[in-house]
Amino acid sequence: MPSEKKKSAVSIKDIARITGVSVATVSRVLNNKGSGYSEETREKILAVADSFGYVSNMAAKSLKESKSYTVGLILPNISNDFFSTIALYIEEYMEQHHYSVFICNTANQEQKEKEYFRTLSGRGVDGIICISGLNALSDDIITGNMPVVCIDRHPENTKNIPWVMNDDRHGSYLATEHLIKRGCQHILYIGSYTAGYKKFEREEGYIDALKAYGRRVDRNYILYENGSKPHFRESADLVREFMKEDYPVDGIFASNDAAAYGALRTVQSLGIRVPEDLKIVGFDDSVYSRLASPAISTIARHPEELSRTGCKVLLEMMEDKEPEKREWTISTELIERESSQA
Amino acid sequence: MPSEKKKSAVSIKDIARITGVSVATVSRVLNNKGSGYSEETREKILAVADSFGYVSNMAAKSLKESKSYTVGLILPNISNDFFSTIALYIEEYMEQHHYSVFICNTANQEQKEKEYFRTLSGRGVDGIICISGLNALSDDIITGNMPVVCIDRHPENTKNIPWVMNDDRHGSYLATEHLIKRGCQHILYIGSYTAGYKKFEREEGYIDALKAYGRRVDRNYILYENGSKPHFRESADLVREFMKEDYPVDGIFASNDAAAYGALRTVQSLGIRVPEDLKIVGFDDSVYSRLASPAISTIARHPEELSRTGCKVLLEMMEDKEPEKREWTISTELIERESSQA
DNA sequence: ATGAAAGCGCTAACAT
DNA sequence: ATGTTAGCGCTTTCAT
């Protein structure tokens, strides 16, 4: 029956007709406008609405109110462990506040990210939470009236856009310090970067710690992944190459767990014992560090707090409140596991 | 400036006024209605629209057309590896067809799933893709006019709701057959189930294979996880308990990779060599099987095909076409890795 | 306490 | 080729 028209749901008008009141009254009751109707009518209306399974037409409501109770969540890749966890918390939090969330996957492409800002605004979302893959947001975004909050990463020109970030730099500091305190003399750092977004907080934390403990910063001990190979392969290969040089190493701090895992595999295959001969710390507290054997010490971020804070700030902005701060930092924490045991 | 009103975007009316034509003409041009305007007006309108950064008000459009170009994606848990991958593909596919997708996390709670069906219909989504956590959909869903397609899992009473599933049963058959062919005589099965949704396709595939090869089905060799412990812990403990009984075992087929991983850890800790003394196959091709050492053989599902098919079917339904089939099965595939090597 | 009516931005049927 | 207008379902102001 392809030609059968979509059954148009029961409207406020239907309910008004059935209960014998006006649409205004129905609207008042349905929206809990404290007054403007008697208890009797209220009950009658509610009963009818209920029995007909009334759900309000959001399109009409949005049109009238210029408010859609929807938000957009822009992120690089929802299939990524960390991001999907953020998505989970954000959806949960927003749902509790009666907002639905559009998921927007940029696949790390600048163009897509920009388009999503447009699309979302066309859809009339009330706000946007953005994990940007860009170094710079476009002007219309930062100057527009759309409430936007950047989380996890923050482009350079966020201007009046609040952002909430992990304290990555401090996390890296903790990781490096931990290795130093465990007696490591030569600590290799494995960083990584993606196209549009270059930030070096983690590297800076590593360097901070080295300096704080009077160590020399040797650029030869700083390696980079560039995403050319999947998963942990690239880091495994990087470390293998590095090891050929015969530099002394007794510690590795990798800026992500997958890289730490790759490094672990490589050094193990070289007959180096972890943690006896070499200690490793990763970053993210992901499955990679948890599943490895030995389990890898790592820096945990707090996706739940990150998400909640982002939501809270956005909610405020959507209510035209000025958020109390412009920048929020979520702490980061060392998780000690076997790979760095004394 | 909290009191500054949200800048109301430029509307079709503004553009009409500026270009000196009627809203009808603007609408025609903006919607590419082939005729009804001269090339000259077309260009003028487009130029103005462009320079003012016009984006059409979807609420108004939806209200008028009873079409929102949005769909809902209901799933148990977006932070789950497999589901988030599905979400990725679905979002990508839908975006290409100019649909935005609402993400709806049920956390495996019946109540939430039901509510989302309501909420989404109130939001006027044009269709819903559902990975249900329920054994049975409620009546209003299956009898309603909302296009719905179930993917990955399918409740019992899907009636006229199409569903697209993985061939889990065959996958399990392949896994079990593989172990048999590798010489395993006593194959332990580790199943799992969640509250609202009980399906035993994977167990059936295991039994199918046993029977096909003339093996006796011994219920003592069928274990269940019930989600009481996180990750792979439960399976690790289950296997540890089982091993105490001293039943002979030389093969384990776990219905999910995490369970396979847990089993692997346990048997290794018992001094059993994998794959020499005992072979293991998992299910899902997740990080668990890939990161384990030895890497665990597993059954791969095809989330991309699953997602694409689901989208295609939903798109058809939303265009009031009758989908050519009611049921779709996506094949499943054995991936041989070290844990089951000869 | 209740109702009538305007209007949100858009599309499409019906003029011209 | 272009314009006028009704109306989608809702909220809200202004009467009553």
Side-chain angles (χ1 to χ4, degrees):
Chain A
M1 41 200 132
S3 67
E4 190 171 307
K5 226 33 257 142
K6 186 183 276 192
K7 186 206 293 174
S8 53
V10 10
S11 77
I12 211 180
K13 210 156 131 192
D14 299 320
I15 302 202
R17 190 169 31 73
I18 294 164
T19 50
V21 299
S22 73
V23 291
T25 302
V26 176
S27 174
R28 281 189 275 255
V29 169
L30 261 18
N31 289 293
N32 271 310
K33 299 274 181 237
S35 73
Y37 45 83
S38 66
E39 179 57 20
E40 193 191 1
T41 22
R42 198 187 84 92
E43 276 166 18
K44 197 162 49 178
I45 289 170
L46 254 23
V48 173
D50 203 56
S51 75
F52 281 79
Y54 170 82
V55 293
S56 103
N57 179 321
M58 284 308 262
K61 196 165 189 154
S62 296
L63 178 58
K64 182 68 194 174
E65 293 186 323
S66 304
K67 177 105 177 75
S68 65
Y69 292 95
T70 60
V71 298
L73 172 59
I74 297 180
L75 38 68
N77 182 351
I78 185 73
S79 80
N80 173 104
D81 203 20
F82 187 69
F83 296 144
S84 68
T85 303
I86 289 181
L88 177 77
Y89 289 124
I90 289 182
E91 195 273 342
E92 184 188 29
Y93 194 95
M94 284 306 185
E95 202 273 333
Q96 282 165 7
H97 291 78
H98 305 105
Y99 282 83
S100 292
V101 2
F102 283 119
I103 166 191
C104 305
N105 223 82
T106 64
N108 269 312
Q109 292 169 237
E110 288 206 22
Q111 197 43 44
K112 293 198 78 178
E113 179 167 335
K114 286 180 186 164
E115 268 170 33
Y116 271 125
F117 272 104
R118 280 182 59 90
T119 313
L120 287 173
S121 114
R123 291 223 174 274
V125 298
D126 299 329
I128 295 175
I129 296 182
C130 178
I131 304 178
S132 180
L134 304 179
N135 266 321
L137 263 21
S138 28
D139 282 351
D140 30 327
I141 295 161
I142 56 177
T143 58
N145 304 73
M146 173 72 74
V148 174
V149 19
C150 286
I151 66 172
D152 189 48
R153 304 174 176 183
H154 74 111
E156 238 100 65
N157 62 338
T158 45
K159 214 182 156 196
N160 52 161
I161 296 179
W163 46 268
V164 9
M165 287 277 294
N166 299 108
D167 196 351
D168 278 16
R169 185 166 179 167
H170 185 62
S172 288
Y173 182 94
L174 291 176
T176 312
E177 176 183 53
H178 174 63
L179 288 171
I180 292 172
K181 286 189 171 166
R182 283 281 193 270
C184 297
Q185 296 298 324
H186 304 282
I187 303 172
L188 179 65
Y189 172 77
I190 306 174
S192 65
Y193 57 87
T194 36
Y197 183 78
K198 302 198 187 355
K199 282 270 174 252
F200 297 95
E201 272 111 0
R202 299 190 188 178
E203 183 177 333
E204 284 159 5
Y206 160 79
I207 292 174
D208 289 348
L210 252 30
K211 288 184 175 162
Y213 285 83
R215 303 297 172 87
R216 204 168 62 81
V217 176
D218 183 342
R219 286 283 156 192
N220 293 309
Y221 281 77
I222 298 185
L223 267 33
Y224 290 107
E225 301 180 292
N226 56 22
S228 60
K229 288 164 206 155
H231 309 297
F232 56 88
R233 301 287 170 200
E234 183 169 7
S235 136
D237 291 351
L238 273 177
V239 173
R240 195 180 313 282
E241 283 307 306
F242 176 82
M243 291 311 230
K244 285 184 186 158
E245 309 281 343
D246 266 336
Y247 287 112
V249 217
D250 55 3
I252 299 181
F253 167 46
S255 69
N256 68 77
D257 278 350
Y261 181 86
L264 173 66
R265 299 273 283 221
T266 291
V267 301
Q268 282 180 331
S269 76
L270 261 26
I272 297 169
R273 293 169 307 160
V274 176
E276 295 84 348
D277 307 328
L278 181 151
K279 306 191 196 308
I280 299 182
V281 179
F283 204 115
D284 270 358
D285 190 22
S286 73
V287 272
Y288 284 93
S289 55
R290 268 177 266 146
L291 298 188
S293 149
I296 300 175
S297 297
T298 194
I299 302 298
R301 296 188 276 175
H302 297 120
E304 177 162 15
E305 203 185 336
L306 186 71
S307 309
R308 295 180 65 86
T309 308
C311 288
K312 236 180 308 194
V313 174
L314 187 65
L315 247 14
E316 283 178 13
M317 296 172 74
M318 294 191 302
E319 288 166 1
D320 277 322
K321 285 184 206 146
E322 198 68 22
E324 51 174 290
K325 289 197 283 180
R326 178 108 287 139
E327 310 174 0
W328 312 71
T329 305
I330 308 301
S331 72
T332 217
E333 175 191 356
L334 172 69
I335 298 190
E336 297 187 29
R337 295 207 263 247
E338 304 159 43
S339 72
S340 64
Q341 229 135 57
Chain B
M1 45 204 132
S3 66
E4 189 170 308
K5 226 33 253 144
K6 188 185 274 191
K7 186 205 294 172
S8 54
V10 11
S11 77
I12 212 181
K13 209 155 130 192
D14 300 320
I15 302 203
R17 189 169 31 74
I18 294 163
T19 51
V21 297
S22 73
V23 291
T25 302
V26 176
S27 173
R28 280 189 277 254
V29 168
L30 261 19
N31 289 294
N32 271 310
K33 299 276 182 235
S35 74
Y37 46 83
S38 67
E39 178 58 19
E40 193 192 1
T41 20
R42 198 186 85 93
E43 277 166 18
K44 198 162 48 178
I45 290 170
L46 253 24
V48 172
D50 204 53
S51 74
F52 282 78
Y54 170 82
V55 293
S56 101
N57 180 319
M58 285 306 264
K61 197 165 189 152
S62 295
L63 178 56
K64 179 67 191 176
E65 293 187 320
S66 303
K67 177 105 177 77
S68 65
Y69 291 96
T70 60
V71 299
L73 172 59
I74 297 179
L75 37 68
N77 182 352
I78 186 73
S79 80
N80 173 104
D81 202 21
F82 187 70
F83 296 145
S84 67
T85 303
I86 289 181
L88 177 76
Y89 289 123
I90 288 182
E91 195 273 343
E92 183 187 31
Y93 195 96
M94 283 307 186
E95 202 273 332
Q96 282 165 7
H97 290 79
H98 305 105
Y99 282 83
S100 292
V101 0
F102 282 119
I103 165 191
C104 306
N105 223 82
T106 64
N108 270 312
Q109 291 169 239
E110 289 206 22
Q111 198 43 43
K112 292 198 77 177
E113 179 166 335
K114 285 180 185 164
E115 266 171 33
Y116 272 125
F117 272 104
R118 279 180 59 90
T119 313
L120 286 173
S121 113
R123 289 221 175 274
V125 298
D126 299 330
I128 294 174
I129 296 182
C130 177
I131 303 178
S132 179
L134 304 179
N135 267 320
L137 263 20
S138 28
D139 281 351
D140 28 329
I141 294 160
I142 56 178
T143 58
N145 303 75
M146 174 71 74
V148 174
V149 18
C150 285
I151 67 173
D152 189 49
R153 305 176 176 182
H154 74 112
E156 238 100 65
N157 61 338
T158 45
K159 215 181 157 199
N160 52 162
I161 296 179
W163 45 268
V164 9
M165 286 277 294
N166 298 109
D167 197 351
D168 278 15
R169 184 165 180 168
H170 185 62
S172 288
Y173 182 94
L174 290 176
T176 312
E177 178 183 52
H178 174 64
L179 289 170
I180 292 172
K181 286 189 171 167
R182 282 281 192 268
C184 297
Q185 297 298 324
H186 304 281
I187 304 172
L188 179 65
Y189 172 78
I190 305 173
S192 66
Y193 56 87
T194 35
Y197 183 78
K198 303 199 186 352
K199 283 271 174 252
F200 297 95
E201 273 111 358
R202 299 190 188 177
E203 182 177 334
E204 284 158 7
Y206 160 80
I207 293 174
D208 289 347
L210 252 30
K211 287 185 176 161
Y213 285 82
R215 305 294 174 87
R216 204 167 64 80
V217 175
D218 183 341
R219 287 283 154 192
N220 293 311
Y221 281 77
I222 297 184
L223 266 34
Y224 290 107
E225 299 180 293
N226 57 22
S228 60
K229 288 164 207 157
H231 310 296
F232 56 88
R233 301 285 169 201
E234 182 169 7
S235 137
D237 290 350
L238 273 177
V239 172
R240 194 180 313 281
E241 282 308 306
F242 176 82
M243 290 313 229
K244 287 185 185 158
E245 308 281 342
D246 266 336
Y247 288 113
V249 217
D250 54 4
I252 298 181
F253 168 47
S255 69
N256 67 78
D257 278 350
Y261 181 86
L264 173 66
R265 299 272 284 222
T266 291
V267 302
Q268 283 179 331
S269 75
L270 261 28
I272 298 169
R273 293 169 308 161
V274 177
E276 294 83 350
D277 307 329
L278 181 151
K279 304 188 196 312
I280 300 183
V281 178
F283 203 114
D284 270 357
D285 190 22
S286 74
V287 272
Y288 284 93
S289 56
R290 269 177 266 147
L291 298 188
S293 150
I296 301 175
S297 298
T298 194
I299 301 298
R301 296 188 276 176
H302 297 120
E304 176 161 15
E305 202 184 337
L306 186 72
S307 307
R308 295 180 64 86
T309 308
C311 288
K312 237 180 310 195
V313 174
L314 187 66
L315 248 14
E316 284 179 12
M317 295 171 76
M318 294 190 302
E319 289 166 358
D320 276 324
K321 285 184 204 146
E322 196 68 23
E324 52 174 288
K325 291 198 282 182
R326 178 108 287 141
E327 310 175 1
W328 312 71
T329 305
I330 308 300
S331 73
T332 220
E333 176 190 357
L334 172 68
I335 298 191
E336 297 187 29
R337 295 206 262 245
E338 304 159 41
S339 72
S340 65
Q341 231 137 55

